[in-house]
Amino acid sequence: LIRPSSKVIIKFLTVMMKNGYIGEFEWIDDHRSGKIVVSLNGRLNNYGVISPRFDIAVTDIEKWASNLLPSRQFGFIVLTTSAGIIDHEEAKRKHTGGKVLGFFY
């Protein structure tokens, strides 16, 4: 259960779900700020938020990945870019930088 909910949290969870780290999630409107119920599938080990949201150039993505993630084989850094909120591998494919939101593995 995550509360309060926001658009950024929902996009972050969508990236996690797309990569198979969580199951589905459901947004519940309680006429306040909302709640999110997440179904876990046992694959998520750790996650975190990076504050402040540092700027990352395309050339620096690999350096951030080696600092935050335990290995190169698994884990993702979530970035907010002009192409939306995406993981670092998609940002490298689209050749776009942005601000770092957090990570999960």
Side-chain angles (χ1 to χ4, degrees), residues 19-40:
N19 290 308
Y21 279 82
I22 60 172
E24 295 187 348
F25 62 91
E26 178 185 5
W27 182 73
I28 299 170
D29 184 18
D30 59 357
H31 300 293
R32 292 181 188 86
S33 57
K35 297 176 186 168
I36 303 172
V37 177
V38 180
S39 64
L40 301 174

Side-chain angles (χ1 to χ4, degrees), residues 14-82:
T14 306
V15 171
M16 291 172 81
M17 188 173 70
K18 192 170 63 177
N19 290 308
Y21 279 82
I22 60 172
E24 295 187 348
F25 62 91
E26 178 185 5
W27 182 73
I28 299 170
D29 184 18
D30 59 357
H31 300 293
R32 292 181 188 86
S33 57
K35 297 176 186 168
I36 303 172
V37 177
V38 180
S39 64
L40 301 174
N41 59 7
R43 191 164 169 224
L44 186 66
N45 293 323
N46 197 2
Y47 57 91
V49 175
I50 306 299
S51 180
R53 295 178 177 172
F54 292 107
D55 288 329
I56 298 184
V58 181
T59 54
D60 297 339
I61 290 177
E62 200 60 45
K63 184 177 74 175
W64 276 84
S66 65
N67 286 343
L68 291 175
L69 302 176
S71 100
R72 293 180 65 142
Q73 281 84 21
F74 67 98
F76 293 93
I77 297 175
V78 180
L79 305 169
T80 174
T81 65
S82 57

Side-chain angles (χ1 to χ4, degrees), residues 81-93:
T81 65
S82 57
I85 294 178
I86 54 177
D87 60 65
H88 73 282
E89 291 182 355
E90 192 175 340
K92 278 196 276 190
R93 279 196 302 274

